[in-house]
Amino acid sequence: MAEVRNAEQTHWWRGAVIYQIYPRSFLDTNGDGVGDLPGIEARLDYVASLGVDAIWISPFFKSPMADFGYDIADYRDVDPLFGTLDDFDRLLAKAHSLGIRVMIDQVLSHTSIEHAWFKESRESRDNAKADWYVWADAKPDGTPPNNWMSLFGGVAWQWEPRRGQYFLHNFLASQPDLNFHHPAVQAATLDNVKFWLDRGVDGLRLDAINFCFHDMQLRDNPAKPAELRTGRGFSPDNPYAFQYHWYNNTQPENVAFLEELRALLDRYPGATTLGEISSEDSLATMAEYVNERRLHMGYSFELLTDDSSAAYIRGTVQNLEAKMREGWPCWAISNHDVQRAVTRWGGDAALDADLARQLVALVCSLRGSVCLYQGEELGLTEAEVPFEALQDPYGITFWPNFKGRDGCRTPMPWNGDANGGFSAVQPWLPVPAEHGALSVSVQDENAGSVLNGVRHLLRWRKSQPALVTGEIAFLDAAEPVLAFTRGAGEEKLLVVFNLSATAQAWDVPAALHALAPIDDHGLRAGELRDGTLQLPPRGVFYARIG
């Protein structure tokens, strides 16, 4: 731990590439069909070979697994499904020995219904933890106290006969929301965070961090017009999309709590926070939450949508740049909650290796840090999981209009065996047959594979300060060309992407100085001819300016 903690640069996270590991699906070492912490430790040499700076491990804490670990029953213990605290300590030590920082998920806004705090709180209205959760009386007719909806479908209130009251749940009914207006809840939450910082973790990914506080007046959310029901991370046929979520999350009191959280982190040099933010205006909330007094980094669902046009990407980044004057963003185009990017943005071209490499290059070329989701370096496609094999309660509820999140959570294919080398037994989710050809062992042997291309790209990126921490400025370009500059100190780069499967030409602005093309990034490179840039399908062009 000392090696990493005593590093000269405590701002290591600026421009860092963070590799997300979904433990259930990484590697099973004990033959139960579910990945575990020893499995992560066993594959850390592989992770190090990618050239990433850190790993983010999705929840591995004690949980009944109603939402696969995002419903925590004990914040300070490892669920036996994943191993033990000793296993985590060994994983942490191995990662640090390889120069990899370790970030862990913290789910602060809600707990499991099995958490000891909730079990006590629900027993009566006058026990020591009676006000630790969001309780409210029914309306005179017995209906819930207001119109708030759960993101996972249905009303956001569950009746509890022991107390004769409803409790709030913004997600599953088995995930009751904590009452962060209670000072003791905030103190206990920060103490749980301190437990892991004392253990040596290098950072926290904060799940749904804008959901910690609710409107104390319990005001109804206003209705949203049908044409605007295009929220982030849920389908328009979900009634959650029928409202403006002004009162069940993103309350002003959250800011003061984030400052308390940051004060705690500042006692651990080099420790960082990455907040997941999903609000009515996520970019504005990111700008408010991310600065030197609050979160170190933030990311939202803006690039986790279906729109992959150059105009949308440019508009999203420019919007955030205009609002976030002092903060540091983090970008992701894949994670455990959305369809895999090569399928979502590539459609029929999902198996195009050039597309897979280009998508990684794109997210790694924007200003900010980067989250890469396990399998993204392989170009994994979204899996078709039959209804009878579904595990995700979200997908089961909304099938067949929305198939849930299982398709992006299938196990990592380490080799071409039936179970992908993930497990000796039937895995918790099936391994798609088509992922065998994309497995690590197959791609390792192919110098031109997506995997080896990503390795080369990430090593090359580290040598380009302008790409790691430089400023960004967009240039005019017609669809499907995306063009911008990155600059840090004396170095300034021109970056151009052809986001289509057909060749494109782009006239380089005369205002740019002489260009020195960079061709050692391992991607399909464009060629400059008499002031016009010729871009092959899925082509990328990097050049030094001046």
Side-chain angles (χ1 to χ4, degrees):
M1 183 189 77
E3 284 181 38
V4 174
R5 275 285 163 79
N6 294 333
E8 292 179 1
Q9 140 163 227
T10 58
H11 288 81
W12 63 267
W13 44 271
R14 286 186 177 269
V17 177
I18 303 163
Y19 184 77
Q20 182 193 355
I21 293 176
Y22 194 70
R24 296 181 69 89
S25 297
F26 202 60
L27 182 67
D28 169 26
T29 61
N30 64 357
D32 63 358
V34 176
D36 43 52
L37 295 182
I40 298 174
E41 181 190 354
R43 290 291 187 264
L44 282 175
D45 288 314
Y46 165 78
V47 175
S49 79
L50 300 176
V52 301
D53 301 287
I55 56 174
W56 145 30
I57 309 175
S58 289
F60 50 84
F61 315 104
K62 190 173 181 181
S63 166
M65 301 294 162
D67 192 22
F68 306 108
Y70 284 89
D71 50 321
I72 297 175
D74 187 342
Y75 284 91
R76 301 190 185 201
D77 201 4
V78 174
D79 194 277
L81 190 69
F82 297 125
T84 65
L85 277 171
D86 286 342
D87 290 328
F88 177 79
D89 290 340
R90 282 190 291 271
L91 185 166
L92 187 67
K94 175 71 177 292
H96 284 168
S97 74
L98 294 169
I100 300 172
R101 271 88 171 182
V102 177
M103 302 177 67
I104 62 171
D105 239 312
Q106 289 286 274
V107 187
L108 306 185
S109 70
H110 57 268
T111 71
S112 165
I113 203 168
E114 296 299 322
H115 197 290
W117 295 349
F118 185 78
K119 288 182 176 180
E120 183 175 353
S121 185
R122 72 182 176 188
E123 287 301 321
S124 69
R125 300 190 186 192
D126 57 3
N127 63 74
K129 291 185 173 56
D131 297 326
W132 278 43
Y133 291 82
V134 183
W135 296 98
D137 293 331
K139 289 181 178 179
D141 62 358
T143 56
N146 63 25
N147 71 347
W148 296 353
M149 304 299 291
S150 161
L151 195 144
F152 287 163
V155 298
W157 296 95
Q158 180 72 23
W159 181 251
E160 173 48 70
R162 295 172 182 83
R163 289 180 54 131
Q165 285 184 307
Y166 284 98
F167 66 83
L168 176 67
H169 60 91
N170 275 296
F171 300 93
L172 294 176
S174 56
Q175 293 171 298
D177 275 60
L178 284 160
N179 177 20
F180 270 78
H181 292 287
H182 197 310
V185 171
Q186 295 187 40
T189 297
L190 293 174
D191 200 43
N192 284 335
V193 168
K194 185 177 183 297
F195 173 85
W196 292 101
L197 292 171
D198 287 340
R199 211 163 195 95
V201 301
D202 303 287
L204 315 170
R205 182 267 186 182
L206 300 165
D207 185 70
I209 191 59
N210 59 304
F211 279 77
C212 290
F213 287 81
H214 67 287
D215 174 49
M216 292 189 73
Q217 298 178 52
L218 301 182
R219 286 172 284 188
D220 280 350
N221 283 325
K224 181 179 288 187
E227 66 272 14
L228 298 179
R229 295 172 187 172
T230 55
R232 304 288 182 247
F234 48 86
S235 55
D237 61 338
N238 183 342
Y240 187 82
F242 290 25
Q243 301 177 350
Y244 289 104
H245 293 277
W246 291 352
Y247 297 119
N248 62 304
N249 62 60
T250 322
Q251 298 304 292
E253 296 92 338
N254 207 35
V255 170
F257 172 70
L258 294 182
E259 291 177 351
E260 290 293 322
L261 178 62
R262 178 59 178 265
L264 172 61
L265 267 290
D266 286 346
R267 291 159 51 188
Y268 299 81
T272 191
T273 49
L274 169 61
E276 178 201 37
I277 297 165
S278 178
S279 66
E280 287 299 330
D281 187 343
S282 296
L283 298 181
T285 304
M286 284 176 65
E288 181 184 16
Y289 282 11
V290 181
N291 57 43
E292 291 299 321
R293 303 175 310 284
R294 297 164 192 168
L295 300 179
H296 298 79
M297 299 176 284
Y299 86 91
S300 67
F301 284 73
E302 262 62 24
L303 294 187
L304 296 168
T305 60
D306 293 339
D307 194 339
S308 60
S309 68
Y312 178 76
I313 295 167
R314 172 179 176 170
T316 298
V317 177
Q318 283 184 316
N319 190 356
L320 181 61
E321 288 289 314
K323 293 176 178 178
M324 186 181 282
R325 299 292 184 178
E326 55 176 307
W328 189 254
C330 185
W331 297 105
I333 58 173
S334 282
N335 69 12
H336 64 291
D337 281 333
V338 298
Q339 190 179 50
R340 284 194 175 271
V342 292
T343 300
R344 198 174 73 248
W345 284 5
D348 294 338
L351 286 170
D352 182 347
D354 289 322
L355 168 65
R357 281 188 290 267
Q358 185 190 61
L359 292 182
V360 175
L362 172 61
V363 75
C364 287
S365 296
L366 301 175
R367 175 183 175 268
S369 300
V370 180
C371 282
L372 291 182
Y373 179 48
Q374 67 182 48
E376 203 169 346
E377 77 279 12
L378 302 176
L380 291 190
T381 54
E382 182 79 357
E384 282 292 331
V385 180
F387 181 79
E388 60 273 17
L390 282 188
Q391 302 291 325
D392 182 15
Y394 194 9
I396 292 170
T397 298
F398 285 95
W399 180 276
N401 293 353
F402 173 66
K403 298 180 180 180
R405 303 165 293 178
D406 288 330
C408 67
R409 297 177 174 183
T410 54
M412 273 284 285
W414 297 102
N415 59 41
D417 294 348
N419 295 330
F422 164 78
S423 178
V425 300
Q426 181 67 37
W428 75 287
L429 281 173
V431 178
E434 64 270 20
H435 283 186
L438 302 174
S439 69
V440 173
S441 64
V442 169
Q443 295 202 39
D444 254 336
E445 301 300 317
N446 178 3
S449 68
V450 175
L451 172 59
N452 284 317
V454 169
R455 284 169 169 157
H456 182 88
L457 173 71
L458 296 186
R459 286 194 298 270
W460 172 79
R461 179 180 178 271
K462 286 179 184 292
S463 68
Q464 308 297 322
L467 290 181
V468 177
T469 58
E471 299 299 315
I472 190 169
F474 285 87
L475 302 169
D476 289 337
E479 207 71 46
V481 175
L482 180 69
F484 51 89
T485 61
R486 298 291 308 277
E490 296 292 316
E491 183 178 68
K492 192 171 183 180
L493 299 183
L494 171 65
V495 185
V496 188
F497 288 89
N498 171 12
L499 300 179
S500 76
T502 58
Q504 302 291 327
W506 181 68
D507 292 330
V508 178
L512 291 180
H513 293 200
L515 297 175
I518 304 171
D519 296 325
D520 60 344
H521 43 69
L523 302 160
R524 293 197 74 183
E527 184 179 353
L528 189 60
R529 302 176 194 163
D530 299 323
T532 298
L533 181 59
Q534 304 294 333
L535 291 158
R538 306 296 178 190
V540 182
F541 181 76
Y542 294 96
R544 286 190 172 80
I545 301 172

